[in-house]
Amino acid sequence: MNQTFTLKEKTKQIFVMLIPILITQLGMFSMVFFNTIMSGKYSSSDLAAVAIGSSIWSPIFTGISGILLAVSPIAAQRFGEKRGREVASVVRHGLYLSLMIALVVIVLGVFFLDPILDKMNLPSAVHETAFDYLAGLSYGILPLFIFNVLRSFIYALGKTRVVMYILLLSLPINFFLNYVLIFGYWGFPELGGAGAGYATSITYWVITAMTVFIVKTQDPFSSFSVFENLRHFSFEECKEILKIGVPMGLSTFFETSMFAVVTILLSKFNVTTIAAYQSALNIVSFLYMIPISISMAQTVLVGYEVGSGRYKDAKSYSWLGIYLAILIAIITGVFVVLFRYQVAGFYSNETEVINLTAHFLIFALFFQICDAIQATAQAALRGYKDVNLAFIMTLIAYWLICLPVGYGLANFTDLGATGYWLGLTVGLLAAGIALSWRLLYIQKYKFIDTQKLNAL
């Protein structure tokens, strides 16, 4: 990363970081896509099992990833302050935390996975495959968490293309492993849907091995000597990561679980409504990768400028990211609304499902704009390491506004399932307004532009 002086330079820098992050996110989405599609080709029972396994794992993974991704803003600020040794120390302690958290998740899985699946009253074949899928996935938990820490370090230095290349190289490996382990080709065992879990785990080990090799041998990463002095451990360093990471992780967890709860509440409606909602949600979730990619770049850039003491530039990056996310949300939202029937047609051949999905997608424009605002405003606050109040704001917005408003509109008006879309939109808008207010507040009163003060 370099210091920038004009809006044009800042826009160019954010795009240089953004595009590789977006491709990386698409790569990670593709792995889930491969798991789902190939399991479905094997059998509908295995598809259901993989879908259930993914629904259990996804909130846990996104929440814990939020904790470990706290390495990014902390390391970016230290990098901006030109404190290279402390950058390495932050990364090392992130690796320690990834090991400890992975062990906790695995142990909890041993004791609670079977009881959770029992409570779901699944057919025995689905239950067994879902368990085996998650068991296979568990072998990849440790390398996945290690990769997230190293990815945060790489992002903190602004070298986002490196991670993109690693993910792109891993996709053919993941596709091949899914193919041979699910269907049992070329002498490999035929594991069905469970094979998707093992394929994903092996891929995570490959991704992590490539990342470790690059961090150890390639400049500028090798100059930080991240893997040296591993015996040194400080509770204070871990505490700093957790202080930033836990609110980040919980915010992500509560947002992800909110959508899971809405899905459960929708189960009272007919199959057509559930299918249409899932189709529409899948579309907006896919498009959400754009603001989430902007937000990841934004957190690093804001953190880097804050660490360098250039608060004016940090402020510029904060609002540039928000405006850019809103603009892209409007463009993609209008496109989806205009071509909603064609887009819905990708997900179903049934006229009723297509029509209802298209109806839900009308609300996608407003939903995406509100989601873009809250995601990027929250990302800017993370760059300032201001996360505690933001966590409380998002908790209130997601669970005390989104769900009650959606439930009330869906069950006590004639809106039906549409009420949940309106509830989600209202809650995300509330989060966006609150987080933007908090951002304005800290920029005005906590991170004051000293050059402006001196001029006065």
Side-chain angles (χ1 to χ4, degrees), residues 333-345:
V334 169
F335 178 84
V336 167
V337 170
L338 290 176
F339 298 98
R340 57 189 182 277
Y341 289 99
Q342 291 85 346
V343 173

Side-chain angles (χ1 to χ4, degrees), residues 258 261-262 265-266 268-269 277 397-428:
M258 172 190 69
V261 169
V262 170
L265 291 173
L266 275 163
K268 64 170 282 187
F269 293 93
Y277 170 80
Y398 298 154
W399 284 83
L400 299 182
I401 297 177
C402 273
L403 289 176
V405 171
Y407 184 83
L409 291 173
N411 291 278
F412 300 105
T413 71
D414 295 330
L415 290 170
T418 302
Y420 284 112
W421 280 103
L422 291 173
L424 290 169
T425 304
V426 169
L428 291 172

Side-chain angles (χ1 to χ4, degrees), residues 182-205:
I182 291 174
F183 298 101
Y185 292 131
W186 298 349
F188 286 85
E190 183 180 342
L191 301 176
Y198 289 97
T200 303
S201 289
I202 296 168
T203 306
Y204 287 152
W205 280 104

